[in-house]
Amino acid sequence: MGAGSTKEHYMQDTAEIYFVYKARQKAEEMGVFENVCGDSICETERQYISYATERGVLRDFGNCAYKEGIDLAIDKIMDELSSTYPNAVFDFECVETELRNKNMKGDFLLHIVVDKEARTVPVSLKNYKKGYDTIQVCSGTWN
């Protein structure tokens, strides 16, 4: 599990869904969103809230370091993504369970669309509760 406790694991998993929600929301706000995965942004928000509620961590998630890290970084992440791919639109899709069941790594898919050509990249989210000086160095994934 790696998170230390079941509750901590649920918080991390909630953060993965929350990241996808916030990235989709920010992309739409910036005018660089294209719905590739089918779910609405509101549905993605409902997914993270439902996941956290079902596991009893919604209240704690609202004030946790994982959420705070995403809230602090999402603008910069989206600005850098947009400047790296200036003519692209984006979508994000939470697929951690699906990829794990296929023995693959990744927490979400980044869909990059340029001139109607879509490229999909699996991404492992690195979101450290105690900052980057506590990073996991043997996970087999890149930062």
Side-chain angles (χ1 to χ4, degrees), residues 15-67:
E16 292 164 4
I17 305 166
Y18 179 76
F19 174 84
V20 168
Y21 160 63
K22 292 302 285 187
R24 295 181 91 210
Q25 183 183 52
K26 184 64 180 178
E28 182 179 58
E29 181 183 303
M30 295 171 65
V32 295
F33 175 73
E34 182 170 311
N35 191 329
V36 173
C37 67
D39 287 342
S40 70
I41 295 170
C42 289
E43 178 58 29
T44 306
E45 180 183 29
R46 281 192 291 274
Q47 289 169 359
Y48 105 76
I49 291 170
S50 175
Y51 182 92
T53 300
E54 289 170 9
R55 287 152 184 85
V57 298
L58 183 62
R59 183 181 318 244
D60 292 334
F61 182 74
N63 297 311
C64 79
Y66 299 116
K67 179 182 181 296

Side-chain angles (χ1 to χ4, degrees), residues 16 23 28 31-32 36 61 69 86 89 95 120 127-128 143:
E16 292 164 4
E28 182 179 58
V32 295
V36 173
F61 182 74
V89 291
V95 293
T120 301
N127 185 3
Y128 298 99
N143 290 334

Side-chain angles (χ1 to χ4, degrees), residues 26-131:
K26 184 64 180 178
E28 182 179 58
E29 181 183 303
M30 295 171 65
V32 295
F33 175 73
E34 182 170 311
N35 191 329
V36 173
C37 67
D39 287 342
S40 70
I41 295 170
C42 289
E43 178 58 29
T44 306
E45 180 183 29
R46 281 192 291 274
Q47 289 169 359
Y48 105 76
I49 291 170
S50 175
Y51 182 92
T53 300
E54 289 170 9
R55 287 152 184 85
V57 298
L58 183 62
R59 183 181 318 244
D60 292 334
F61 182 74
N63 297 311
C64 79
Y66 299 116
K67 179 182 181 296
E68 181 181 321
I70 292 166
D71 290 341
L72 289 171
I74 197 66
D75 289 348
K76 183 173 171 77
I77 290 168
M78 290 306 302
D79 287 344
E80 289 185 14
L81 191 58
S82 293
S83 65
T84 301
Y85 300 97
N87 299 317
V89 291
F90 308 96
D91 199 0
F92 301 81
E93 182 178 6
C94 191
V95 293
E96 187 259 344
T97 301
E98 293 89 335
L99 292 182
R100 184 182 62 233
N101 290 342
K102 294 178 182 177
N103 292 320
M104 299 171 68
K105 292 191 182 245
D107 298 310
F108 66 91
L109 297 178
L110 166 60
H111 301 283
I112 306 167
V113 182
V114 180
D115 297 328
K116 305 292 180 199
E117 291 279 327
R119 176 177 165 214
T120 301
V121 180
V123 179
S124 291
L125 181 65
K126 299 299 180 196
N127 185 3
Y128 298 99
K129 181 178 179 179
K130 295 181 182 177

